[in-house]
C-alpha cells in the first residue's frame, strides 16, 4: 500500500474490507473504494482480494445448527433486560425482503431461510409465522419442538399473542425493524391483554450473536442514463412536484430501490439485487439529503450526483429529522415502510406528518421507453440462455441429472418431484434429488442485467408425464384460478408481482393477488404472470412469464393489455388438449 501511495491507515482498510466481504460483491470494482488505482495495481489488487475472500469465507453462524442454544441465549438476554418476549421480523432497517448477512437475525435464531416470516419468542414458548409459500420449507428447517409453526394468514401473530401473552408482560421490539403499521399490529394484542409493548434501544439478538457480520459495504456506482432513460435531476423534480401535490415540504425515503432509482445509482449490499442500503430525505425543491456510508461511494459518484444531493453520515439522520420537526415541517412518510423510530421522532418533535405512500414507488414502477427497450433486450439474452439450458436438459438421459447438476448455470429454484412442491425451494447436498423418469422438474430462474431484470419459471416433464400432470399443467390458463377452482384446486401465493428495472425482482406497489394490489395496473408496469399448482409430497407446477402493461390498441375507455416479455419454450408434452 505504501508503494502504491495509499496513506489510509491499515485498521481502516481492514474494516472496509470486512464490510465489503459482508456484502454481495461480484467484481473487483470495490478495490477503487480503497484507492482509484487499486483495481489496476496487480500485486496490490491480488493481496486485497485475497483478504476480502478470507473474510467472506469466515463462518458467521447463519447456517450453523445450534438453534436451541441460541434460543436459550436470547431468552437469558431478554430476562436480563426485564423483557418477557421479543418479536423477530425477517426485515431489516429498510423494511424489505432483501436482507444483508448482518441482518439475517431470523435465520440465525430459527434456521428458517425464506424471504418472508417472523418469530415471536416468549419465556416458555415461541412461534414461527410464515405464509403459504414457506410452510413446507419451515417444517423442514425449523425444529417444531422449539418453535410452533403458524400460517401467518390463517393463524396471525396478533391472535397468537392474545392467546399466549400474559397480563403485565413486557414484549420487546426493535423500532428500527418495524414500520408504524407493524408496530400498531403488535400494540393491539398487547393492549387487549394488558401487556406492554417496549421499544428496545438496541437489538437483543445482536447482543448474543458473537460472530455477527459487520454492516455491508457494497460499492455504489452511477447507473448510466443510457440504461435509466431519465437523469436523476429530472426525477428529483418529478418527486418534488408530487410532494407539492401532497402539501409536503419533504419526504422520508427508506426503501433502497426507491433511493437507487431516484439518484440513478446501484450498489451491492445484498445478494441478487443491486441495492445500496441508505436513507434519504427529499426536499420540496428537489434537493436530497442522502444518508449513506461514504466508504461505499466509488470515486465517480460525487460528480454524478452534483451539488443538489448532500451526502451525510447515516447517524446524522436523527439530527436532520429533529430539525425538520422543530421547524414544524410538513413531511410525507409511508407508514407501511418507514421505520417507526423515524415516524415517532417526527411526530413527537412537532413535525406536520403527512401519511401517504412512497412518492417514488409509482413513478419507478411505470418504466420509461428506454427502460422497456432494455428489459426486452435483457429478456432476449436471458431467453437464449434458458433455452440452451432446457435443450441440454432435454438431451440428457432421464435420471442422469440431479437438482444440483441443473442448478449449476443459475442461482435458482431447482426442484424435482416432491421438492418442486416447496414454492421457494433451495437445493442442498442433503435434499438433492435426481430428475427421475415420470416426474416433473420445476426451474425458477432470473438475472440482473444493466438494462433489465428477468424472472421466469418453467416446469418440465422428465420422460413421459402422467395424466394428472398434464391435467394440472393445462388448467393454468390466462384467468389462472378459475379452471383450478372447477376441479377444487388452488395455490397459496399471488399470481403476479411487480418487477424492477435492474432493481428488485419483487417490486411494488402493483401485484396480482387475492389480497389486492397497492396500485392499479398502469402502462409501463412490469408484472409476473405465474399461476401454479403444488401437490405436497408429489410435485409442483408453475409457469411464469413477465409481461409489460400496455395501452390496448384500438380499445375504447382506456383498456389495457399485456406484452409478453419472457422468451422461453413451454413443455408441450404437458399440455392436455382435452381440458
Amino acid at each position: 500500500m505504501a508503494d502504491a501511495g495509499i496513506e489510509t491507515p491499515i485498521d481502516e482498510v481492514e474494516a472496509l474490507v470486512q464490510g465489503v466481504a459482508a456484502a454481495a460483491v461480484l467484481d473487483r470494482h470495490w478495490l477503487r473504494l480503497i484507492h482509484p488505482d487499486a483495481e489496476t495495481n496487480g500485486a496490490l489488487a491480488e493481496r486485497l482480494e485475497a483478504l476480502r475472500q478470507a473474510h467472506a469465507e469466515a463462518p458467521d453462524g447463519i447456517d450453523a445448527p445450534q438453534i436451541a442454544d441460541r434460543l436459550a441465549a436470547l431468552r437469558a438476554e431478554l430476562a436480563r433486560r426485564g423483557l418477557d418476549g421479543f418479536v423477530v421480523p425477517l426485515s431489516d432497517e429498510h423494511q424489505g425482503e432483501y436482507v444483508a448477512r448482518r441482518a439475517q437475525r431470523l435465520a440465525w435464531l430459527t434456521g428458517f431461510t425464506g424471504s418472508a416470516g417472523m418469530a415471536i419468542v416468549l419465556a416458555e414458548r415461541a412461534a414461527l409465522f410464515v405464509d403459504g409459500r414457506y410452510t413446507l420449507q419451515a417444517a423442514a428447517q425449523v425444529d417444531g419442538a422449539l418453535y410452533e409453526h403458524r400460517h401467518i394468514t390463517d393463524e396471525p401473530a396478533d391472535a397468537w399473542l392474545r392467546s399466549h401473552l400474559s397480563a403485565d408482560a413486557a414484549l420487546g421490539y426493535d423500532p428500527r425493524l418495524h414500520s408504524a403499521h407493524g408496530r400498531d399490529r403488535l400494540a393491539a394484542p398487547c393492549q387487549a391483554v394488558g401487556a406492554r409493548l417496549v421499544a428496545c434501544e438496541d437489538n437483543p439478538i445482536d447482543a448474543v450473536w458473537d460472530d455477527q457480520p459487520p454492516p455491508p459495504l457494497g460499492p455504489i456506482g452511477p447507473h448510466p442514463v443510457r440504461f435509466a432513460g431519465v437523469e436523476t435531476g429530472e426525477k428529483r423534480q418529478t418527486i418534488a412536484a408530487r410532494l407539492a401535490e401532497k402539501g409536503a415540504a419533504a419526504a422520508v425515503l427508506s426503501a433502497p430501490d426507491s433511493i437507487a432509482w431516484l439518484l440513478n445509482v446501484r450498489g451491492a449490499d445484498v445478494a441478487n439485487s443491486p441495492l445500496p442500503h441508505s436513507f434519504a430525505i427529499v426536499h420540496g425543491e428537489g434537493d436530497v439529503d442522502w444518508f449513506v456510508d461514504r466508504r461505499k461511494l466509488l470515486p465517480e459518484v460525487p460528480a454524478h450526483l452534483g451539488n443538489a444531493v448532500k451526502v451525510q453520515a447515516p447517524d446524522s439522520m436523527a439530527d436532520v429529522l429533529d430539525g425538520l420537526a422543530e421547524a414544524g415541517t410538513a413531511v410525507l412518510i409511508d407508514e407501511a415502510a418507514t421505520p417507526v423510530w423515524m415516524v415517532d421522532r417526527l411526530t413527537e418533535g412537532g413535525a406536520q406528518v403527512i401519511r401517504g405512500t412512497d412518492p417514488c414507488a409509482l413513478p419507478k414502477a411505470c418504466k420509461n421507453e428506454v427502460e422497456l427497450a432494455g428489459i426486452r433486450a435483457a429478456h432476449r439474452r436471458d431467453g437464449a440462455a434458458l433455452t440452451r439450458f432446457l435443450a441440454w436438459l432435454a438431451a440428457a438421459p432421464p435420471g442422469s441429472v440431479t437438482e444440483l447438476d441443473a442448478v449449476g448455470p443459475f442461482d435458482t429454484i431447482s426442484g424435482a418431484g416432491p421438492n418442486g412442491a416447496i414454492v421457494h425451494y433451495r437445493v442442498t447436498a442433503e435434499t438433492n434429488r435426481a430428475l427421475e423418469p415420470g416426474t416433473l422438474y420445476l426451474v425458477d430462474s432470473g438475472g440482473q442485467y444493466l438494462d433489465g431484470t428477468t424472472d421466469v419459471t418453467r416446469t418440465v416433464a422428465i420422460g413421459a408425464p402422467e395424466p394428472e400432470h398434464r391435467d394440472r399443467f393445462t388448467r393454468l390458463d390466462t384467468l389462472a384460478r378459475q379452471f383450478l377452482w372447477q376441479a377444487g384446486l388452488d395455490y397459496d401465493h399471488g399470481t403476479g408481482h411487480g418487477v424492477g428495472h435492474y432493481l428488485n425482482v419483487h417490486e411494488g406497489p402493483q401485484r396480482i393477488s387475492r389480497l389486492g394490489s397497492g396500485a392499479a395496473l398502469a402502462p409501463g408496469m412490469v408484472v409476473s404472470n405465474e399461476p401454479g399448482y403444488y401437490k405436497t409430497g408429489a410435485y409442483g407446477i408453475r409457469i411464469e412469464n413477465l409481461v409489460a402493461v400496455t395501452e390496448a390498441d384500438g380499445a375504447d375507455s382506456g383498456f389495457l393489455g399485456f406484452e409478453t416479455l419472457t422468451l422461453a419454450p413451454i413443455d408441450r408434452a404437458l399440455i392436455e388438449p382435452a381440458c
Side-chain angles (χ1 to χ4, degrees):
M1 288 177 58
D3 293 342
I6 299 175
E7 300 178 354
T8 307
I10 285 292
D11 59 339
E12 293 182 15
V13 172
E14 177 75 16
L16 191 150
V17 173
Q18 289 180 357
V20 171
V25 173
L26 299 177
D27 55 41
R28 293 194 172 190
H29 292 336
W30 73 269
L31 292 163
R32 293 191 292 124
L33 298 176
I34 294 176
H35 189 274
D37 299 327
E39 189 177 6
T40 58
N41 185 321
L44 178 61
E46 291 301 323
R47 294 285 297 276
L48 289 171
E49 177 62 16
L51 180 61
R52 183 197 69 80
Q53 290 182 3
H55 284 300
E57 294 168 0
D60 56 22
I62 290 175
D63 298 322
Q66 299 92 0
I67 302 301
D69 293 340
R70 293 173 181 178
L71 182 58
L74 175 60
R75 282 176 166 146
E77 177 66 16
L78 296 179
R80 187 186 69 79
R81 298 181 181 215
L83 296 173
D84 300 291
F86 187 69
V87 182
V88 187
L90 180 137
S91 60
D92 62 4
E93 291 80 354
H94 304 277
Q95 315 301 306
E97 66 174 293
Y98 306 97
V99 178
R101 290 167 60 203
R102 175 181 179 80
Q104 292 180 17
R105 298 177 179 93
L106 185 65
W108 181 86
L109 183 68
T110 68
F112 174 69
T113 60
S115 64
M118 179 177 70
I120 299 177
V121 175
L122 303 180
E124 301 296 334
R125 63 196 311 155
L128 174 71
F129 301 85
V130 299
D131 63 32
R133 296 170 296 170
Y134 293 111
T135 51
L136 296 179
Q137 181 175 334
Q141 290 184 325
V142 180
D143 187 346
L146 298 175
Y147 293 92
E148 303 170 22
H149 296 176
R150 295 289 180 263
H151 190 296
I152 200 164
T153 302
D154 299 338
E155 303 171 281
D158 57 348
W160 189 87
L161 283 171
R162 290 172 189 268
S163 298
H164 302 298
L165 195 62
S166 60
D168 298 324
L171 179 67
Y173 77 103
D174 186 338
R176 289 159 289 275
L177 307 184
H178 296 266
S179 67
H181 282 173
R183 191 260 308 272
D184 291 346
R185 286 194 295 269
L186 295 172
C190 290
Q191 184 177 8
V193 301
R196 294 179 293 122
L197 186 63
V198 179
C200 297
E201 292 187 4
D202 63 306
N203 196 299
I205 292 178
D206 298 351
V208 297
W209 186 351
D210 293 332
D211 53 359
Q212 185 180 28
L217 295 176
I220 299 174
H223 187 53
V225 71
R226 70 178 184 274
F227 299 124
V230 178
E231 295 281 6
T232 175
E234 184 176 342
K235 289 181 178 180
R236 287 187 276 106
Q237 289 305 315
T238 296
I239 299 307
R242 292 176 67 87
L243 296 186
E245 292 172 0
K246 298 285 188 180
V252 174
L253 301 181
S254 58
D257 60 324
S258 288
I259 299 168
W261 173 85
L262 180 66
L263 301 181
N264 280 352
V265 295
R266 297 296 188 269
D269 282 332
V270 297
N272 301 322
S273 294
L275 297 177
H277 281 171
S278 64
F279 295 98
I281 297 175
V282 187
H283 298 276
E285 300 79 17
D287 54 328
V288 173
D289 288 314
W290 189 22
F291 303 93
V292 62
D293 193 321
R294 289 179 179 271
R295 294 178 295 171
K296 297 198 289 187
L297 303 184
L298 291 171
E300 59 269 31
V301 170
H304 162 74
L305 294 175
N307 295 329
V309 178
K310 182 180 180 181
V311 176
Q312 303 204 51
D315 59 8
S316 69
M317 188 168 187
D319 291 337
V320 176
L321 291 174
D322 288 345
L324 292 173
E326 290 171 7
T329 307
V331 182
L332 176 67
I333 60 101
D334 186 338
E335 282 193 307
T338 307
V340 69
W341 78 266
M342 296 183 186
V343 180
D344 288 348
R345 194 118 187 173
L346 289 168
T347 303
E348 295 168 5
Q352 179 187 343
V353 173
I354 299 174
R355 288 159 173 80
T357 58
D358 180 333
C360 295
L362 190 58
K364 172 171 54 68
C366 296
K367 312 299 186 286
N368 60 55
E369 288 303 321
V370 171
E371 290 175 315
L372 288 171
I375 291 170
R376 295 184 189 103
H379 275 278
R380 287 193 292 271
R381 298 193 301 274
D382 193 76
L386 184 55
T387 300
R388 285 195 297 270
F389 165 73
L390 293 172
W392 167 80
L393 185 64
S400 65
V401 176
T402 70
E403 293 170 337
L404 282 174
D405 294 331
V407 84
F410 306 105
D411 179 12
T412 187
I413 297 172
S414 174
N419 287 341
I422 303 172
V423 178
H424 281 192
Y425 170 71
R426 287 291 185 270
V427 59
T428 66
E430 293 73 26
T431 64
N432 189 31
R433 296 179 62 92
L435 279 58
E436 299 172 343
T439 65
L440 298 182
Y441 171 62
L442 186 153
V443 54
D444 184 340
S445 176
Q448 291 283 8
Y449 303 87
L450 290 172
D451 50 359
T453 299
T454 67
D455 189 14
V456 54
T457 308
R458 291 295 183 262
T459 304
V460 179
I462 307 301
E466 297 178 2
E468 182 180 315
H469 296 160
R470 291 163 59 91
D471 176 86
R472 302 301 189 259
F473 184 92
T474 307
R475 288 181 184 274
L476 303 190
D477 200 84
T478 51
L479 296 175
R481 297 185 193 268
Q482 66 166 311
F483 296 100
L484 289 170
W485 287 344
Q486 288 174 1
L489 310 171
D490 205 352
Y491 53 94
D492 199 1
H493 61 73
T495 301
H497 57 81
V499 179
H501 177 267
Y502 189 43
L503 274 174
N504 293 353
V505 73
H506 296 152
E507 177 183 81
Q510 76 278 16
R511 64 181 179 181
I512 303 171
S513 170
R514 289 176 296 182
L515 302 178
S517 176
L521 296 181
M525 288 181 173
V526 175
V527 295
S528 68
N529 176 17
E530 50 180 311
Y533 176 69
Y534 312 91
K535 186 174 182 178
T536 301
Y539 60 85
I541 297 172
R542 186 162 66 252
I543 308 169
E544 178 183 16
N545 287 342
L546 298 192
V547 298
V549 181
T550 63
E551 294 181 354
D553 292 337
D556 294 330
S557 304
F559 281 96
L560 300 176
F562 289 128
E563 172 195 353
T564 298
L565 301 168
T566 301
L567 300 171
I570 289 175
D571 189 352
R572 292 187 296 176
L574 281 167
I575 297 174
E576 175 52 67
C579 280

